[in-house]
Structure formats: C-alpha cells, structure tokens
Amino acid sequence: MFNSIDALNAFVHAAQLGSFSAAARHLGKSQSTISEAISQLEIDAGLQLFDRSSRQPSLTPAGTRLLSHARHVLNSHADLTHQARSLQAGLEAQLSIVLSDTFQSLEFEALLSEFASAFPLLRLECLVGEDQDVLALLRSGRAQLGLIRALESDEADVYRHPLPGRTEIAIYVGQQHPLASAGTVSNAELAAHRELKLSSYSETMPSTHSPRCWLAPSYLMLLEMTLRDFGWAALPSWLVQMFGQNRLVMLDVPTWPRAVHVDLVWLRQAQLGPAACWLIEQIKAAKHQQGYIAVDQS
C-alpha cells in the first residue's frame, strides 16, 4: 500500500492545484496517467480521495486527512533522494543561494567559514531576494537554495524546511518624520503618510496601506529611504540595528512588531550537488540553536 511515489506525487499536486489536468501539466504527464495513478492509490487505500461529482474534483474528508501524511512521505523521500545524490554526484562548480533580509543568523558566518574549508574550490554566490523573487530564482535555475520569509502556503514544486527561532519586523520612521514623536500611532495616522513598501519583482500590484506609496524590491533600499524621511516602512529589526545608524524610530503601532519565521527552500526536482546538500544538512542540524539576533526593545 502507498508504495508509489509517483502516485503520491499525483495526489498531492492534484489536491494543491485543484484539478487532475493542472497536476498533469505541472508534472509533464498526461491527464489519464494522473487519473489512473490516483485511482490506483484509492484502490490501495480502500478509500475515495476525491469527489468527482462536479466539474472540478475536490478532496473527500478522507483525502483531506491523508494529504498531510502524503506530503510527509514525499518530503522524507526528497530527503533520501538528495542524500543519495550527495554521495553519487560530483562537486558542482558553483552554488547560488538567495538570502532574504528577514534572515540573520549568528551561526551563518561561522557556517560559511566551515563551508569554505570543506569546499575550497567551489564558487559560492549569495544573492538577495524577497518572497516570490526567491522562488522565481529557484525555478529559473538561477539559484539552488533560498532562505525566505516563511511561506503562507505550500508550493507544489518547492520543498521547505522551517528554521528555528524567529526574527521581527516593526514599523520605523526617521527622526525628523512627523510621526517620530507621536506616541501610539493608529492605522489611520499611518495611512495619512507615505508608505515605503516592499515589492518583489514578481508582484504586479502589491497591496498597500497608504494611498501614497513608494515601492522597492529590498529591505535595505527601504531602510535608506526611511533614513531620508521619505516615509514609514516595515523593516526587519536586526537590519535597523545593524545599518540604521541609530537614526530610526520604532513606532508604537497596534499589532506591531510582528514575528517572522524563515524557511530554507529548494525545488523538489532540483539536481543538488554535494555542496548544496552539505549546506542543507548543516542548517538543519542547527535546529536546536536559536541563531537569530536578539531584538533590543529599549
């Protein structure tokens, strides 16, 4: 029972993408192949996983219950696969990793020192990206690994490993901004001033809080705009502490600051080399360490 990874893959993709045809397109298979795989899975389980009475199949209660278990099996299979590939493959010429500014670990620089010793001839490229831009770089083959603000929902083609601990995002203004000495600031007061908003290259029309808004693809650029009193911005607190030159003021806004968790991500079908697999294992091995920079609330 459940001895076919392909069938489980078809089940998970069909459930996430909403149709057998969408799963077939994504997996590069025919719709009949996906339908047959899921039907065989239902026979093996002795359960109906999808309700096919309407135009679009929907998960039955049993299918909903089994979906998370299927994902767990696929994730374990992905772990097994990339471990085996790390033993079989030759060393890659270059490893590219995309870093989000929501991530800052005290152990990361030490980890890179170990990486340099373990792979002295490998070219390491560190890119900076946020949200969907990280996934776009992975999908295009431009990067192999990414550290990203935790995804709100699963992506069918992306394996993600949640990192321990958390960082924090708060709302900041420059010292000369009208809100800098306002005390508690309401959402209506924020809306009356220009918002400096993160906008990834992959977004076409990001939602904004204020009718007046400037957009930028990186938190560091937003920080520089905030230092010039162009508006207010939601920024990672560690970034403000390290690069804010003590010239930014954290606003007291209801529901802020907000905790942010970070995922380590890579494509499920990626042909990862030994260096990428080594880095994944080292980051995962630090799961009991709280490596995030502590935020000074004073």
Side-chain angles (χ1 to χ4, degrees):
M1 183 182 289
F2 303 130
N3 58 355
S4 171
I5 292 298
D6 287 341
L8 289 176
N9 210 21
F11 169 46
V12 169
H13 279 74
Q16 185 162 319
L17 297 177
S19 72
F20 293 178
S21 59
R25 287 193 298 272
H26 187 86
L27 294 173
K29 299 180 181 295
S30 67
Q31 183 172 339
S32 61
T33 298
I34 296 299
S35 181
E36 182 179 345
I38 293 174
S39 294
Q40 187 60 53
L41 191 62
E42 290 176 319
I43 293 172
D44 290 342
L47 296 166
Q48 185 175 355
L49 303 178
F50 286 95
D51 180 353
R52 299 169 175 81
S53 60
S54 60
R55 179 180 175 86
Q56 295 294 338
S58 59
L59 284 173
T60 63
T64 300
R65 290 284 300 274
L66 290 179
L67 181 60
S68 62
H69 296 287
R71 283 181 174 139
H72 177 73
V73 172
L74 289 177
N75 288 341
S76 296
H77 182 263
D79 285 342
L80 175 64
T81 300
H82 93 254
Q83 283 285 356
R85 286 171 178 166
S86 71
L87 297 174
Q88 296 172 354
L91 181 64
E92 58 267 51
Q94 176 171 310
L95 174 61
S96 297
I97 180 169
V98 194
L99 302 171
S100 164
D101 280 332
T102 57
F103 173 80
Q104 173 65 9
S105 170
L106 292 175
E107 284 78 30
F108 194 62
E109 289 186 5
L111 181 58
L112 289 184
S113 296
E114 296 179 27
F115 185 90
S117 298
F119 305 99
L121 300 180
L122 184 138
R123 176 184 293 179
L124 177 66
E125 180 183 33
C126 293
L127 306 171
V128 176
E130 302 295 340
D131 300 338
Q132 289 298 316
D133 286 347
V134 177
L135 301 184
L137 287 167
L138 295 180
R139 288 167 175 152
S140 70
R142 182 66 179 78
Q144 291 76 53
L145 303 177
L147 288 161
I148 185 174
R149 177 168 54 178
L151 299 172
E152 295 182 358
S153 60
D154 288 326
E155 298 279 343
D157 59 338
V158 175
Y159 179 81
R160 64 187 181 107
H161 179 80
L163 299 186
R166 64 182 188 179
T167 186
E168 184 179 84
I169 289 183
I171 295 180
Y172 292 90
V173 294
Q175 292 176 341
Q176 305 305 314
H177 191 278
L179 293 177
S181 57
T184 300
V185 177
S186 68
N187 288 326
E189 289 175 300
L190 280 180
H193 296 269
R194 182 184 293 117
E195 178 181 4
L196 307 176
K197 171 78 173 180
L198 181 74
S199 175
S200 65
Y201 293 108
S202 303
E203 289 182 287
T204 55
M205 190 61 67
S207 60
T208 60
H209 186 83
S210 172
R212 290 187 293 166
C213 185
W214 288 3
L215 306 172
S218 77
Y219 282 113
L220 191 59
M221 188 176 295
L222 291 178
L223 184 148
E224 293 174 351
M225 291 180 178
T226 310
L227 284 171
R228 294 179 177 272
D229 295 313
F230 291 148
W232 59 267
L235 300 168
S237 294
W238 80 265
L239 199 72
V240 172
Q241 290 180 27
M242 187 166 292
F243 301 109
Q245 307 169 33
N246 296 317
R247 291 166 46 202
L248 294 182
V249 176
M250 181 192 294
L251 297 185
D252 180 8
V253 181
T255 75
W256 294 83
R258 295 176 181 174
V260 175
H261 296 269
V262 177
D263 288 339
L264 173 65
V265 293
W266 63 93
L267 294 186
R268 293 184 184 278
Q269 302 302 318
Q271 300 291 323
L272 299 180
C277 293
W278 181 92
L279 194 57
I280 289 172
E281 291 308 312
Q282 293 302 310
I283 293 175
K284 291 170 67 172
K287 63 183 178 180
H288 298 301
Q289 301 177 20
Q290 298 300 315
Y292 294 97
I293 288 180
V295 177
D296 184 1
Q297 299 288 353
S298 61

